[in-house]
Amino acid sequence: MLQPDLTFVFSFFIFILVYFILSNFVIKPILNEVAGYFEEVKKNNEEAERFLKEAERLEREYQGILEEARNKALSEHKRRVEEESKRASEVISQVDEYASKKLQEETEKLQEYEKKVLSEIPKIVDEISQNLLEKVLGRKV
């Protein structure tokens, strides 16, 4: 078995002394620094989550505003289409009225012309028959 000698005891005490010195002056500051770093990372994560939630809330708000604007624009578009359809219908009815009126006027003119032409036919027939008789008989009848 091993027998403790003075070198072993001296080495053991030096090891313990070095351990306490390193733990107090080197390891503790490093651990404190690492703990501070982890604390800062934790704070940054919490802040990032808070910003993410705020961004999601703003995104929902933006989507709501966008949807409201889209609906408003759509209703305005529909309203204007209806107005223009009414105006187009009015214009079409006015054009139809005007066309009907002009057609009626032209039809009346044609009917008058037809009456005039028909009233002239007996005169023309008389002249033609007179001319034929003169040519056939060779004298005036």
Side-chain angles (χ1 to χ4, degrees):
M1 206 165 204
L2 284 177
Q3 298 223 352
D5 61 347
L6 191 58
T7 309
F8 176 74
V9 173
F10 187 66
S11 295
F12 181 72
F13 282 119
I14 290 176
F15 174 75
I16 296 294
L17 182 66
V18 169
Y19 174 75
F20 283 122
I21 290 172
L22 285 177
S23 70
N24 285 332
F25 295 111
V26 176
I27 295 174
K28 266 190 184 174
I30 289 174
L31 288 178
N32 288 340
E33 195 66 33
V34 168
Y37 172 75
F38 281 122
E39 187 65 30
E40 189 175 329
V41 167
K42 184 179 176 184
K43 286 180 185 177
N44 287 343
N45 282 341
E46 290 172 356
E47 188 175 358
E49 287 178 11
R50 188 172 44 98
F51 284 145
L52 185 60
K53 287 179 183 177
E54 179 69 14
E56 289 171 353
R57 183 189 66 78
L58 290 173
E59 176 70 21
R60 286 191 303 272
E61 184 179 320
Y62 163 76
Q63 290 297 334
I65 291 170
L66 187 63
E67 187 65 28
E68 181 181 327
R70 186 179 295 125
N71 290 338
K72 185 176 179 182
L74 185 62
S75 66
E76 179 67 18
H77 174 71
K78 286 180 180 179
R79 184 187 65 78
R80 286 187 178 186
V81 165
E82 288 173 3
E83 285 178 3
E84 295 304 318
S85 293
K86 286 179 185 177
R87 285 180 44 195
S89 295
E90 289 173 5
V91 167
I92 288 171
S93 67
Q94 289 173 354
V95 167
D96 281 347
E97 269 182 41
Y98 179 76
S100 295
K101 184 179 176 184
K102 283 296 186 183
L103 183 63
Q104 183 66 30
E105 289 174 4
E106 293 302 318
T107 304
E108 289 173 2
K109 285 180 184 177
L110 282 173
Q111 287 173 349
E112 287 175 21
Y113 184 71
E114 181 183 14
K115 286 179 185 177
K116 184 179 175 184
V117 168
L118 288 175
S119 69
E120 294 289 323
I121 288 177
K123 292 178 190 175
I124 295 171
V125 168
D126 281 343
E127 286 178 16
I128 291 174
S129 58
Q130 283 295 331
N131 287 338
L132 277 175
L133 280 175
E134 285 177 8
K135 287 186 181 185
V136 169
L137 296 175
R139 60 182 172 95
K140 262 191 169 188
V141 179

